Amino acid sequence: MDSVAILSHLRPGDRVVIDDIQADESVRRRLHAMGLLRGRQAQLIRRARFGGPLQVRVGSVDLILRRRDADSVHVTPLL
Amino acid sequence: MRRIALVGMPNTGKSTFFNRLTGAATRTGNWPGVTVDLRSAKILLGAEMVEVVDLPGIYDLQGYSEDEHVVRDFLTHNAVDLVCLVLNATQLDHQLGLALQFSQLEVDSLILLNMADEAKQLGLHIDTDTLTKALGREVRLLSARRGDGFRETKAAIEHHLASATAVQIGAAVGEFGIIDALSGEVQALYERSVQAPAIMTPRLTERIDRVLLHPWLGLPLFFLFMFLVFQAIYALGTPLQDGVAWALDGFRQIVLEPLEPHVPHLVYGLLVDGIYDGVGTVASFVPVIILFFFMMSLVEDSGYLSRAAFLMDALMARLGLDGRGFVMLLMGFGCNVPALMGTRVMRSRALRLLTMLVIPFSLCSARLQVFVFMTTALFTPRQAPLVLFSLYVVSFLAVLLSALLVKRRLVSHEPFVLELPPYRLPQLRQVFYRGWHEVRHFLHRASKFIIAGVVLVWLLTHYPVANPPGGPDSFAGMLGQFLQPVLSPIGISAQMAVVLVFGFVAKEIVLGSLVAMTGLQGAALSGYLAGHMSWVEGYSLMLFILLYTPCLSTVATMRTESHSLRYTAFSIVWALTIAWVFSFVFYQGASALL
């Protein structure tokens, strides 16, 4: 599957499928454990102002993560 | 004795369950193989005494976070009869991975799907029989908040314990399932066991968030809430603190002071001026700690703390801190002690240490008292409020500067990912437990250190000669003389250096020590100050008092919370350095210009 987008670049309301997390082992495992797993659907809910974190809904859970961490999450947008 | 370990993800209501199971009789203590304190309690279950240990929240038994290390270390160093794994029933799509990991361990586990009431409201139907069969572990529904299913859960625990054997998990814990690899299995199991309605009703939480996390309204509302919380704590806390002080002082005057002629001078001084006043210092913090944690539990349990982190993170991330640190910092403007204790919500040690380093620069209410007196003495009524305001600005500057300078050394390697839980009404029972527990923790850990410090300062200011206390012939006076080479470049006299010694114990006694040393009070003391120091010297002294160290209780709390004498020493040296540099730059600069 080709990833065509990065989680941190999405706009509020965008729905995606998570492809891959390209980060160190420890970061990847933490994001996995928080539910950001390959094949899961996610939706960007809102972005905080001034370059602050993102609110992302993955399944039943809402997460906030920093843009820097979200940069490593590759996704495929859903139409 | 039988032992139960309580495990679960953060925000699953694990602590609520712990409190319901154990009541208020908990202790915080050390365990083999583990570097942090864990909460535990001994309770009677069936006919046996059972020890229940509350382990930190984890996402992944194999994870790399500090809490995940703690849980692994605990389970490999301590034998456990039963693991109670608490999961959030509304988030099983995320949480079954952890259950699968535990189902592969030798140790018996009981899987509790907590927040069953919320799951029902969301229209989720959970088939516990399918889960029990698939996991090979008993799975039960529970609402720890409301108590639904609690009695049955307790009976199930007793039943498990009756046949359980204690297992110390082998070091091979690292061999078991990796969440990523388990994800297919989790998905399949979730689909088999949970029926979710096709369309989830838009939750109340979403509607509230539209306002509270609004791009423009979010921050002003946050500051409004913080202001109200702050007001509530200190509007209620100050009269209570005064009440405690009044009661202790009354006891001293009516009961203790009449004894003075009948007791040897040294013994009386040591017991009353030393230990009794030390106890008084400890006691004066109790109301504000209770109130602080009362309010903090409201903010945290309602789910708003994570929202605050969302709103403030952009700024705080640049300082190497996180959004929650900002809340603690603000609370530090009331009192640093509970603010330091409050940093416990941060699970990354580096992040927590950095936050603890900057909190003591917050201008707390005790320092404010000193500054109000000094600014009124040294400045005109029109200047005084501006001078006071400038001290608040300096307080923020010291926080910014410290964070920027130290953040490279205390880098948190954990990604910043927080769950945004749905809004919940805080349970009074929980809030009460929290306040009670924190006060006990403070009394247990910090009181000896504080009392010892108060006694030490009493000795320094009363020996070998106390005329007046802290006069030039006392040890403190000698210390003041000795420090002159360091303090004269920032415009602080030997006499004022002694005030700093007193101020190290508590800012509340700074004015009292001036009264004792000069024999003057109120307006006369103001006049004395105005006559004995220029405004430049006065401001330099205030800068130093603001930054050098908040008080002995803060130092004691720093030590108990950081678990490191070295870090505590570093934080003191750091604050002294910052204080000296600020005062030096100001004093020399102003002296050169004027």
Side-chain angles (χ1 to χ4, degrees):
Chain A
M1 199 182 340
D2 286 333
S3 347
V4 291
I6 303 279
L7 183 60
S8 54
H9 297 170
L10 301 180
R11 277 186 299 189
D14 287 356
R15 288 170 186 277
V16 294
V17 175
I18 294 165
D19 293 336
D20 191 19
I21 296 173
Q22 297 188 352
D24 315 350
E25 175 73 2
S26 66
V27 172
R28 197 168 69 233
R29 294 205 57 165
R30 164 47 56 101
L31 296 179
H32 280 160
M34 298 295 291
L36 293 165
L37 288 161
R38 184 176 305 139
R40 278 254 172 95
Q41 288 194 18
Q43 183 184 16
L44 188 79
I45 304 297
R46 55 169 66 81
R47 312 170 68 103
R49 296 192 68 78
F50 314 116
L54 312 173
Q55 179 182 350
V56 180
R57 182 164 302 158
V58 189
S60 58
V61 177
D62 278 23
L63 300 174
I64 58 181
L65 66 164
R66 285 193 178 148
R67 293 181 190 197
R68 197 189 57 216
D69 297 319
D71 282 341
S72 64
V73 184
H74 293 236
V75 296
T76 305
L78 289 175
L79 293 176
Chain B
M1 189 168 26
R2 301 286 199 168
R3 186 179 294 142
I4 300 176
L6 222 56
V7 187
M9 290 197 187
N11 302 309
T12 51
K14 187 166 64 69
S15 296
T16 312
F17 178 65
F18 178 83
N19 289 341
R20 199 176 267 281
L21 187 64
T22 60
T26 62
R27 59 180 278 273
T28 308
N30 301 312
W31 291 86
V34 181
T35 49
V36 299
D37 286 341
L38 298 174
R39 222 151 59 107
S40 68
K42 295 188 175 100
I43 53 164
L44 191 67
L45 271 181
E48 278 185 291
M49 282 306 277
V50 180
E51 186 169 33
V52 187
V53 188
D54 190 15
L55 296 181
I58 59 167
Y59 292 100
D60 177 3
L61 193 52
Q62 306 282 309
Y64 291 95
S65 78
E66 285 159 15
D67 286 339
E68 285 154 354
H69 279 291
V70 167
V71 169
R72 273 200 300 277
D73 290 343
F74 180 87
L75 293 174
T76 48
H77 286 85
N78 298 276
V80 168
D81 292 277
L82 177 68
V83 169
C84 282
L85 179 63
V86 183
L87 302 181
N88 180 340
T90 66
Q91 303 178 345
L92 287 181
D93 52 340
H94 284 244
Q95 308 215 334
L96 284 176
L98 192 61
L100 279 167
Q101 288 183 322
F102 271 90
S103 71
Q104 294 173 4
L105 298 178
E106 271 172 83
V107 65
D108 188 18
S109 47
L110 175 62
I111 297 169
L112 302 171
L113 309 183
N114 192 23
M115 308 189 181
D117 51 329
E118 286 185 25
K120 203 169 162 191
Q121 271 174 19
L122 290 172
L124 294 171
H125 179 79
I126 300 168
D127 179 358
T128 49
D129 290 339
T130 304
L131 285 172
T132 301
K133 220 177 280 169
L135 293 167
R137 297 285 192 270
E138 185 178 356
V139 179
R140 305 191 62 87
L141 285 164
L142 171 73
S143 168
R145 277 157 62 88
R146 300 174 16 147
D148 305 341
F150 178 73
R151 208 180 319 154
E152 295 82 347
T153 300
K154 212 168 154 182
I157 293 175
E158 284 171 25
H159 182 74
H160 276 259
L161 284 178
S163 59
T165 45
V167 175
Q168 189 168 328
I169 293 162
V173 74
E175 311 276 304
F176 295 94
I178 289 172
I179 294 269
D180 190 24
L182 292 172
S183 69
E185 208 175 326
V186 168
Q187 191 113 16
L189 183 55
Y190 180 77
E191 278 162 18
R192 265 197 296 151
S193 56
V194 182
Q195 282 176 285
I199 302 163
M200 293 281 241
T201 44
R203 289 188 290 188
L204 184 60
T205 293
E206 280 177 50
R207 274 178 278 159
I208 299 176
D209 271 343
R210 255 172 242 159
V211 178
L212 295 187
L213 298 182
H214 186 273
W216 294 112
L217 289 175
L219 279 174
L221 283 172
F222 165 71
F223 283 107
L224 177 70
F225 289 146
M226 286 300 111
F227 177 75
L228 291 177
V229 165
F230 192 87
Q231 284 296 316
I233 295 175
Y234 299 101
L236 293 170
T238 313
L240 284 173
Q241 260 177 322
D242 292 347
V244 170
W246 177 82
L248 286 164
D249 205 46
F251 183 77
R252 189 190 160 108
Q253 279 178 11
I254 295 163
V255 180
L256 297 177
E257 284 179 7
L259 296 174
E260 190 172 1
H262 312 292
V263 182
H265 182 67
L266 173 68
V267 176
Y268 179 83
L270 194 63
L271 289 179
V272 177
D273 293 333
I275 293 172
Y276 184 76
D277 285 356
V279 171
T281 310
V282 173
S284 69
F285 281 96
V286 169
V288 65
I289 290 179
I290 294 186
L291 283 165
F292 175 88
F293 280 102
F294 187 88
M295 296 308 288
M296 273 319 290
S297 338
L298 292 183
V299 172
E300 213 183 320
D301 295 354
S302 65
Y304 191 66
L305 190 62
S306 307
R307 269 83 186 172
F310 179 79
L311 292 167
M312 286 306 301
D313 197 63
L315 170 68
M316 299 306 277
R318 292 192 180 104
L319 299 177
L321 300 168
D322 83 4
R324 292 167 299 177
F326 189 81
V327 176
M328 300 310 151
L329 208 56
L330 277 184
M331 294 302 126
F333 281 85
C335 177
N336 293 177
V337 170
L340 285 175
M341 295 165 79
T343 59
R344 236 175 282 149
V345 290
M346 291 167 208
R347 302 309 314 187
S348 150
R349 184 166 167 81
L351 178 63
R352 199 173 162 217
L353 289 181
L354 186 61
T355 312
M356 290 204 293
L357 185 73
V358 300
I359 285 175
F361 293 122
S362 310
L363 197 167
C364 66
S365 53
R367 274 171 277 187
L368 183 61
Q369 253 180 46
V370 178
F371 297 150
V372 166
F373 184 82
M374 285 186 65
T375 47
T376 341
L378 297 170
F379 296 91
T380 66
R382 284 188 55 187
Q383 291 164 337
L386 292 173
V387 173
L388 205 53
F389 180 73
S390 75
L391 288 169
Y392 277 102
V393 174
V394 170
S395 169
F396 265 111
L397 280 178
V399 168
L400 291 179
L401 191 71
S402 294
L404 287 174
L405 288 174
V406 180
K407 72 171 184 184
R408 263 171 234 101
R409 301 198 146 252
L410 286 171
V411 179
S412 168
H413 295 289
E414 289 178 32
F416 176 76
V417 190
L418 277 184
E419 193 194 325
L420 221 46
Y423 289 105
R424 297 191 177 101
L425 275 180
Q427 302 281 98
L428 268 183
R429 199 183 150 95
Q430 282 299 107
V431 170
F432 164 78
Y433 274 134
R434 180 83 185 275
W436 167 243
H437 181 74
E438 296 293 347
V439 162
R440 273 193 13 176
H441 183 78
F442 172 76
L443 291 178
H444 184 64
R445 292 302 169 91
S447 54
K448 286 174 219 131
F449 193 83
I450 295 172
I451 292 168
V454 173
V455 170
L456 179 69
V457 169
W458 178 78
L459 287 172
L460 283 176
T461 48
H462 285 72
Y463 282 85
V465 184
N467 188 30
D473 299 325
S474 67
F475 288 124
M478 294 176 209
L479 187 66
Q481 283 296 337
F482 177 74
L483 290 174
Q484 268 310 285
V486 193
L487 294 179
S488 65
I490 59 173
I492 296 176
S493 66
Q495 192 187 24
M496 288 302 145
V498 178
V499 172
L500 297 178
V501 174
F502 282 109
F504 183 76
V505 173
K507 296 294 171 286
E508 288 89 341
I509 63 172
V510 162
L511 294 178
S513 71
L514 276 171
V515 171
M517 281 162 55
T518 57
L520 301 168
Q521 276 193 323
L525 183 60
S526 296
Y528 176 88
L529 284 183
H532 278 74
M533 60 172 85
S534 67
W535 73 267
V536 177
E537 286 167 339
Y539 193 77
S540 180
L541 178 65
M542 286 195 286
L543 282 179
F544 199 81
I545 290 179
L546 168 62
L547 303 171
Y548 80 116
T549 207
C551 61
L552 191 60
S553 305
T554 304
V555 174
T557 309
M558 180 76 88
R559 192 186 63 102
T560 58
E561 295 299 323
S562 68
H563 292 279
S564 163
L565 214 54
R566 249 185 75 199
Y567 190 76
T568 308
F570 165 71
S571 76
I572 295 174
V573 172
W574 179 259
L576 283 169
T577 312
I578 291 271
W580 194 85
V581 170
F582 271 68
S583 294
F584 182 79
V585 169
F586 170 78
Y587 183 70
Q588 294 298 336
S591 305
L593 288 174
L594 295 173

